[in-house]
PDB file of all heavy atoms in Angstrom:
ATOM      1  N   VAL A 190     -71.329 -38.446-115.076  1.00  0.00           N
ATOM      2  CA  VAL A 190     -72.465 -38.014-115.900  1.00  0.00           C
ATOM      3  C   VAL A 190     -73.109 -39.221-116.568  1.00  0.00           C
ATOM      4  O   VAL A 190     -74.337 -39.331-116.644  1.00  0.00           O
ATOM      5  CB  VAL A 190     -72.021 -36.959-116.944  1.00  0.00           C
ATOM      6  CG1 VAL A 190     -73.121 -36.675-117.957  1.00  0.00           C
ATOM      7  CG2 VAL A 190     -71.623 -35.665-116.250  1.00  0.00           C
ATOM      8  N   GLY A 191     -72.296 -40.161-117.021  1.00  0.00           N
ATOM      9  CA  GLY A 191     -72.830 -41.387-117.625  1.00  0.00           C
ATOM     10  C   GLY A 191     -73.651 -42.193-116.643  1.00  0.00           C
ATOM     11  O   GLY A 191     -74.721 -42.713-116.990  1.00  0.00           O
ATOM     12  N   SER A 192     -73.201 -42.279-115.406  1.00  0.00           N
ATOM     13  CA  SER A 192     -73.962 -43.041-114.410  1.00  0.00           C
ATOM     14  C   SER A 192     -75.268 -42.335-114.059  1.00  0.00           C
ATOM     15  O   SER A 192     -76.283 -42.981-113.813  1.00  0.00           O
ATOM     16  CB  SER A 192     -73.129 -43.276-113.149  1.00  0.00           C
ATOM     17  OG  SER A 192     -72.887 -42.058-112.475  1.00  0.00           O
ATOM     18  N   LEU A 193     -75.260 -40.998-114.079  1.00  0.00           N
ATOM     19  CA  LEU A 193     -76.501 -40.256-113.835  1.00  0.00           C
ATOM     20  C   LEU A 193     -77.516 -40.492-114.950  1.00  0.00           C
ATOM     21  O   LEU A 193     -78.699 -40.679-114.693  1.00  0.00           O
ATOM     22  CB  LEU A 193     -76.228 -38.751-113.733  1.00  0.00           C
ATOM     23  CG  LEU A 193     -75.693 -38.220-112.428  1.00  0.00           C
ATOM     24  CD1 LEU A 193     -75.488 -36.712-112.520  1.00  0.00           C
ATOM     25  CD2 LEU A 193     -76.622 -38.533-111.279  1.00  0.00           C
ATOM     26  N   SER A 194     -77.036 -40.481-116.182  1.00  0.00           N
ATOM     27  CA  SER A 194     -77.925 -40.689-117.319  1.00  0.00           C
ATOM     28  C   SER A 194     -78.573 -42.059-117.239  1.00  0.00           C
ATOM     29  O   SER A 194     -79.733 -42.224-117.617  1.00  0.00           O
ATOM     30  CB  SER A 194     -77.159 -40.553-118.640  1.00  0.00           C
ATOM     31  OG  SER A 194     -76.663 -39.237-118.779  1.00  0.00           O
ATOM     32  N   GLY A 195     -77.837 -43.041-116.742  1.00  0.00           N
ATOM     33  CA  GLY A 195     -78.388 -44.391-116.586  1.00  0.00           C
ATOM     34  C   GLY A 195     -79.452 -44.463-115.506  1.00  0.00           C
ATOM     35  O   GLY A 195     -80.353 -45.298-115.563  1.00  0.00           O
ATOM     36  N   LEU A 196     -79.383 -43.582-114.525  1.00  0.00           N
ATOM     37  CA  LEU A 196     -80.355 -43.579-113.434  1.00  0.00           C
ATOM     38  C   LEU A 196     -81.633 -42.825-113.780  1.00  0.00           C
ATOM     39  O   LEU A 196     -82.683 -43.068-113.183  1.00  0.00           O
ATOM     40  CB  LEU A 196     -79.740 -42.938-112.176  1.00  0.00           C
ATOM     41  CG  LEU A 196     -78.574 -43.669-111.529  1.00  0.00           C
ATOM     42  CD1 LEU A 196     -77.992 -42.822-110.400  1.00  0.00           C
ATOM     43  CD2 LEU A 196     -79.021 -45.016-110.994  1.00  0.00           C
ATOM     44  N   MET A 197     -81.540 -41.903-114.723  1.00  0.00           N
ATOM     45  CA  MET A 197     -82.691 -41.068-115.067  1.00  0.00           C
ATOM     46  C   MET A 197     -83.661 -41.835-115.960  1.00  0.00           C
ATOM     47  O   MET A 197     -83.267 -42.386-116.987  1.00  0.00           O
ATOM     48  CB  MET A 197     -82.244 -39.798-115.810  1.00  0.00           C
ATOM     49  CG  MET A 197     -81.286 -38.947-115.045  1.00  0.00           C
ATOM     50  SD  MET A 197     -82.104 -38.204-113.646  1.00  0.00           S
ATOM     51  CE  MET A 197     -80.736 -37.410-112.872  1.00  0.00           C
ATOM     52  N   VAL A 198     -84.918 -41.858-115.556  1.00  0.00           N
ATOM     53  CA  VAL A 198     -85.949 -42.508-116.359  1.00  0.00           C
ATOM     54  C   VAL A 198     -86.357 -41.596-117.507  1.00  0.00           C
ATOM     55  O   VAL A 198     -86.486 -42.008-118.646  1.00  0.00           O
ATOM     56  CB  VAL A 198     -87.184 -42.860-115.480  1.00  0.00           C
ATOM     57  CG1 VAL A 198     -88.300 -43.427-116.331  1.00  0.00           C
ATOM     58  CG2 VAL A 198     -86.772 -43.814-114.376  1.00  0.00           C
ATOM     59  N   ASN A 199     -86.522 -40.311-117.196  1.00  0.00           N
ATOM     60  CA  ASN A 199     -86.957 -39.346-118.201  1.00  0.00           C
ATOM     61  C   ASN A 199     -86.031 -38.132-118.125  1.00  0.00           C
ATOM     62  O   ASN A 199     -86.145 -37.331-117.221  1.00  0.00           O
ATOM     63  CB  ASN A 199     -88.409 -38.944-117.943  1.00  0.00           C
ATOM     64  CG  ASN A 199     -88.969 -38.049-119.025  1.00  0.00           C
ATOM     65  OD1 ASN A 199     -88.360 -37.892-120.074  1.00  0.00           O
ATOM     66  ND2 ASN A 199     -90.117 -37.456-118.768  1.00  0.00           N
ATOM     67  N   LEU A 200     -85.148 -38.006-119.083  1.00  0.00           N
ATOM     68  CA  LEU A 200     -84.194 -36.900-119.111  1.00  0.00           C
ATOM     69  C   LEU A 200     -84.674 -35.876-120.130  1.00  0.00           C
ATOM     70  O   LEU A 200     -84.703 -36.132-121.324  1.00  0.00           O
ATOM     71  CB  LEU A 200     -82.800 -37.416-119.485  1.00  0.00           C
ATOM     72  CG  LEU A 200     -81.679 -36.396-119.545  1.00  0.00           C
ATOM     73  CD1 LEU A 200     -81.439 -35.783-118.160  1.00  0.00           C
ATOM     74  CD2 LEU A 200     -80.398 -37.048-120.043  1.00  0.00           C
ATOM     75  N   ASP A 201     -85.099 -34.702-119.646  1.00  0.00           N
ATOM     76  CA  ASP A 201     -85.617 -33.660-120.528  1.00  0.00           C
ATOM     77  C   ASP A 201     -84.504 -32.855-121.186  1.00  0.00           C
ATOM     78  O   ASP A 201     -84.607 -32.467-122.343  1.00  0.00           O
ATOM     79  CB  ASP A 201     -86.524 -32.684-119.748  1.00  0.00           C
ATOM     80  CG  ASP A 201     -87.796 -33.347-119.266  1.00  0.00           C
ATOM     81  OD1 ASP A 201     -88.267 -34.286-119.933  1.00  0.00           O
ATOM     82  OD2 ASP A 201     -88.313 -32.924-118.216  1.00  0.00           O
ATOM     83  N   ASN A 202     -83.452 -32.586-120.457  1.00  0.00           N
ATOM     84  CA  ASN A 202     -82.429 -31.690-120.971  1.00  0.00           C
ATOM     85  C   ASN A 202     -81.097 -31.984-120.296  1.00  0.00           C
ATOM     86  O   ASN A 202     -81.045 -32.227-119.093  1.00  0.00           O
ATOM     87  CB  ASN A 202     -82.840 -30.227-120.719  1.00  0.00           C
ATOM     88  CG  ASN A 202     -81.867 -29.234-121.302  1.00  0.00           C
ATOM     89  OD1 ASN A 202     -81.161 -29.523-122.250  1.00  0.00           O
ATOM     90  ND2 ASN A 202     -81.833 -28.048-120.726  1.00  0.00           N
ATOM     91  N   LYS A 203     -80.030 -31.941-121.064  1.00  0.00           N
ATOM     92  CA  LYS A 203     -78.682 -32.072-120.506  1.00  0.00           C
ATOM     93  C   LYS A 203     -77.840 -30.987-121.171  1.00  0.00           C
ATOM     94  O   LYS A 203     -77.733 -30.926-122.388  1.00  0.00           O
ATOM     95  CB  LYS A 203     -78.106 -33.458-120.789  1.00  0.00           C
ATOM     96  CG  LYS A 203     -76.699 -33.637-120.260  1.00  0.00           C
ATOM     97  CD  LYS A 203     -76.222 -35.077-120.265  1.00  0.00           C
ATOM     98  CE  LYS A 203     -75.796 -35.510-121.620  1.00  0.00           C
ATOM     99  NZ  LYS A 203     -75.128 -36.835-121.627  1.00  0.00           N
ATOM    100  N   ASP A 204     -77.270 -30.110-120.367  1.00  0.00           N
ATOM    101  CA  ASP A 204     -76.478 -28.985-120.876  1.00  0.00           C
ATOM    102  C   ASP A 204     -75.140 -28.979-120.155  1.00  0.00           C
ATOM    103  O   ASP A 204     -75.086 -28.789-118.943  1.00  0.00           O
ATOM    104  CB  ASP A 204     -77.238 -27.675-120.645  1.00  0.00           C
ATOM    105  CG  ASP A 204     -76.483 -26.460-121.157  1.00  0.00           C
ATOM    106  OD1 ASP A 204     -75.718 -26.600-122.116  1.00  0.00           O
ATOM    107  OD2 ASP A 204     -76.675 -25.375-120.578  1.00  0.00           O
ATOM    108  N   ILE A 205     -74.071 -29.188-120.888  1.00  0.00           N
ATOM    109  CA  ILE A 205     -72.732 -29.206-120.291  1.00  0.00           C
ATOM    110  C   ILE A 205     -71.971 -28.015-120.843  1.00  0.00           C
ATOM    111  O   ILE A 205     -71.869 -27.834-122.057  1.00  0.00           O
ATOM    112  CB  ILE A 205     -71.997 -30.523-120.604  1.00  0.00           C
ATOM    113  CG1 ILE A 205     -72.758 -31.692-119.991  1.00  0.00           C
ATOM    114  CG2 ILE A 205     -70.561 -30.462-120.098  1.00  0.00           C
ATOM    115  CD1 ILE A 205     -72.182 -33.048-120.309  1.00  0.00           C
ATOM    116  N   GLN A 206     -71.443 -27.188-119.934  1.00  0.00           N
ATOM    117  CA  GLN A 206     -70.682 -26.001-120.318  1.00  0.00           C
ATOM    118  C   GLN A 206     -69.266 -26.118-119.768  1.00  0.00           C
ATOM    119  O   GLN A 206     -69.066 -26.612-118.665  1.00  0.00           O
ATOM    120  CB  GLN A 206     -71.352 -24.740-119.778  1.00  0.00           C
ATOM    121  CG  GLN A 206     -72.743 -24.532-120.320  1.00  0.00           C
ATOM    122  CD  GLN A 206     -73.434 -23.338-119.681  1.00  0.00           C
ATOM    123  OE1 GLN A 206     -72.858 -22.636-118.867  1.00  0.00           O
ATOM    124  NE2 GLN A 206     -74.670 -23.122-120.072  1.00  0.00           N
ATOM    125  N   VAL A 207     -68.340 -25.637-120.544  1.00  0.00           N
ATOM    126  CA  VAL A 207     -66.928 -25.701-120.165  1.00  0.00           C
ATOM    127  C   VAL A 207     -66.371 -24.284-120.125  1.00  0.00           C
ATOM    128  O   VAL A 207     -66.645 -23.481-121.007  1.00  0.00           O
ATOM    129  CB  VAL A 207     -66.135 -26.547-121.190  1.00  0.00           C
ATOM    130  CG1 VAL A 207     -64.659 -26.548-120.847  1.00  0.00           C
ATOM    131  CG2 VAL A 207     -66.681 -27.954-121.275  1.00  0.00           C
ATOM    132  N   LYS A 208     -65.597 -24.003-119.080  1.00  0.00           N
ATOM    133  CA  LYS A 208     -64.921 -22.714-118.984  1.00  0.00           C
ATOM    134  C   LYS A 208     -63.414 -22.981-118.975  1.00  0.00           C
ATOM    135  O   LYS A 208     -62.893 -23.619-118.067  1.00  0.00           O
ATOM    136  CB  LYS A 208     -65.340 -21.971-117.711  1.00  0.00           C
ATOM    137  CG  LYS A 208     -64.659 -20.630-117.559  1.00  0.00           C
ATOM    138  CD  LYS A 208     -65.086 -19.934-116.283  1.00  0.00           C
ATOM    139  CE  LYS A 208     -64.348 -18.622-116.115  1.00  0.00           C
ATOM    140  NZ  LYS A 208     -64.621 -18.007-114.831  1.00  0.00           N
ATOM    141  N   ASP A 209     -62.733 -22.506-119.987  1.00  0.00           N
ATOM    142  CA  ASP A 209     -61.291 -22.694-120.095  1.00  0.00           C
ATOM    143  C   ASP A 209     -60.583 -21.571-119.339  1.00  0.00           C
ATOM    144  O   ASP A 209     -60.728 -20.408-119.669  1.00  0.00           O
ATOM    145  CB  ASP A 209     -60.875 -22.690-121.570  1.00  0.00           C
ATOM    146  CG  ASP A 209     -59.409 -23.035-121.761  1.00  0.00           C
ATOM    147  OD1 ASP A 209     -58.695 -23.281-120.760  1.00  0.00           O
ATOM    148  OD2 ASP A 209     -58.965 -23.063-122.923  1.00  0.00           O
ATOM    149  N   VAL A 210     -59.830 -21.943-118.312  1.00  0.00           N
ATOM    150  CA  VAL A 210     -59.126 -20.951-117.490  1.00  0.00           C
ATOM    151  C   VAL A 210     -57.622 -20.962-117.759  1.00  0.00           C
ATOM    152  O   VAL A 210     -56.853 -20.345-117.032  1.00  0.00           O
ATOM    153  CB  VAL A 210     -59.406 -21.171-115.980  1.00  0.00           C
ATOM    154  CG1 VAL A 210     -60.870 -20.945-115.661  1.00  0.00           C
ATOM    155  CG2 VAL A 210     -58.950 -22.544-115.533  1.00  0.00           C
ATOM    156  N   THR A 211     -57.211 -21.625-118.832  1.00  0.00           N
ATOM    157  CA  THR A 211     -55.788 -21.764-119.137  1.00  0.00           C
ATOM    158  C   THR A 211     -55.094 -20.416-119.289  1.00  0.00           C
ATOM    159  O   THR A 211     -54.028 -20.189-118.714  1.00  0.00           O
ATOM    160  CB  THR A 211     -55.597 -22.589-120.430  1.00  0.00           C
ATOM    161  OG1 THR A 211     -56.264 -23.835-120.284  1.00  0.00           O
ATOM    162  CG2 THR A 211     -54.129 -22.820-120.720  1.00  0.00           C
ATOM    163  N   GLU A 212     -55.699 -19.515-120.058  1.00  0.00           N
ATOM    164  CA  GLU A 212     -55.066 -18.219-120.311  1.00  0.00           C
ATOM    165  C   GLU A 212     -54.880 -17.438-119.011  1.00  0.00           C
ATOM    166  O   GLU A 212     -53.801 -16.879-118.753  1.00  0.00           O
ATOM    167  CB  GLU A 212     -55.926 -17.407-121.283  1.00  0.00           C
ATOM    168  CG  GLU A 212     -55.299 -16.094-121.690  1.00  0.00           C
ATOM    169  CD  GLU A 212     -56.142 -15.343-122.711  1.00  0.00           C
ATOM    170  OE1 GLU A 212     -56.827 -15.971-123.522  1.00  0.00           O
ATOM    171  OE2 GLU A 212     -56.104 -14.100-122.664  1.00  0.00           O
ATOM    172  N   GLU A 213     -55.915 -17.403-118.187  1.00  0.00           N
ATOM    173  CA  GLU A 213     -55.816 -16.682-116.911  1.00  0.00           C
ATOM    174  C   GLU A 213     -54.775 -17.337-116.006  1.00  0.00           C
ATOM    175  O   GLU A 213     -53.986 -16.656-115.355  1.00  0.00           O
ATOM    176  CB  GLU A 213     -57.175 -16.648-116.219  1.00  0.00           C
ATOM    177  CG  GLU A 213     -57.155 -15.867-114.928  1.00  0.00           C
ATOM    178  CD  GLU A 213     -58.510 -15.821-114.229  1.00  0.00           C
ATOM    179  OE1 GLU A 213     -59.477 -16.437-114.696  1.00  0.00           O
ATOM    180  OE2 GLU A 213     -58.573 -15.156-113.177  1.00  0.00           O
ATOM    181  N   TYR A 214     -54.749 -18.667-115.968  1.00  0.00           N
ATOM    182  CA  TYR A 214     -53.810 -19.413-115.130  1.00  0.00           C
ATOM    183  C   TYR A 214     -52.367 -19.085-115.530  1.00  0.00           C
ATOM    184  O   TYR A 214     -51.536 -18.754-114.690  1.00  0.00           O
ATOM    185  CB  TYR A 214     -54.086 -20.915-115.279  1.00  0.00           C
ATOM    186  CG  TYR A 214     -53.314 -21.787-114.337  1.00  0.00           C
ATOM    187  CD1 TYR A 214     -53.841 -22.155-113.106  1.00  0.00           C
ATOM    188  CD2 TYR A 214     -52.048 -22.267-114.671  1.00  0.00           C
ATOM    189  CE1 TYR A 214     -53.137 -22.972-112.243  1.00  0.00           C
ATOM    190  CE2 TYR A 214     -51.333 -23.079-113.812  1.00  0.00           C
ATOM    191  CZ  TYR A 214     -51.887 -23.426-112.596  1.00  0.00           C
ATOM    192  OH  TYR A 214     -51.178 -24.221-111.738  1.00  0.00           O
ATOM    193  N   VAL A 215     -52.084 -19.151-116.823  1.00  0.00           N
ATOM    194  CA  VAL A 215     -50.728 -18.873-117.320  1.00  0.00           C
ATOM    195  C   VAL A 215     -50.350 -17.423-117.046  1.00  0.00           C
ATOM    196  O   VAL A 215     -49.222 -17.123-116.642  1.00  0.00           O
ATOM    197  CB  VAL A 215     -50.626 -19.207-118.826  1.00  0.00           C
ATOM    198  CG1 VAL A 215     -49.321 -18.721-119.418  1.00  0.00           C
ATOM    199  CG2 VAL A 215     -50.777 -20.706-119.045  1.00  0.00           C
ATOM    200  N   ASP A 216     -51.301 -16.507-117.244  1.00  0.00           N
ATOM    201  CA  ASP A 216     -51.048 -15.089-116.989  1.00  0.00           C
ATOM    202  C   ASP A 216     -50.700 -14.853-115.525  1.00  0.00           C
ATOM    203  O   ASP A 216     -49.736 -14.154-115.216  1.00  0.00           O
ATOM    204  CB  ASP A 216     -52.278 -14.263-117.387  1.00  0.00           C
ATOM    205  CG  ASP A 216     -52.094 -12.787-117.096  1.00  0.00           C
ATOM    206  OD1 ASP A 216     -51.129 -12.191-117.625  1.00  0.00           O
ATOM    207  OD2 ASP A 216     -52.913 -12.223-116.343  1.00  0.00           O
ATOM    208  N   ILE A 217     -51.452 -15.433-114.630  1.00  0.00           N
ATOM    209  CA  ILE A 217     -51.194 -15.232-113.197  1.00  0.00           C
ATOM    210  C   ILE A 217     -49.862 -15.850-112.800  1.00  0.00           C
ATOM    211  O   ILE A 217     -49.098 -15.250-112.043  1.00  0.00           O
ATOM    212  CB  ILE A 217     -52.353 -15.782-112.342  1.00  0.00           C
ATOM    213  CG1 ILE A 217     -53.595 -14.914-112.556  1.00  0.00           C
ATOM    214  CG2 ILE A 217     -51.968 -15.816-110.869  1.00  0.00           C
ATOM    215  CD1 ILE A 217     -54.841 -15.437-111.877  1.00  0.00           C
ATOM    216  N   GLU A 218     -49.567 -17.038-113.320  1.00  0.00           N
ATOM    217  CA  GLU A 218     -48.268 -17.654-113.020  1.00  0.00           C
ATOM    218  C   GLU A 218     -47.121 -16.747-113.458  1.00  0.00           C
ATOM    219  O   GLU A 218     -46.144 -16.567-112.727  1.00  0.00           O
ATOM    220  CB  GLU A 218     -48.137 -19.003-113.739  1.00  0.00           C
ATOM    221  CG  GLU A 218     -48.700 -20.162-112.998  1.00  0.00           C
ATOM    222  CD  GLU A 218     -48.319 -21.483-113.648  1.00  0.00           C
ATOM    223  OE1 GLU A 218     -48.198 -21.561-114.881  1.00  0.00           O
ATOM    224  OE2 GLU A 218     -48.141 -22.445-112.885  1.00  0.00           O
TER     225      GLU A 218
END
């Protein structure tokens, strides 16, 4: 992501979303 930001001349928006799957992973295990 850092290297992409360096390549962009004009960055209008950056949105990073995280999905935590720990609970589902532990449940399935």
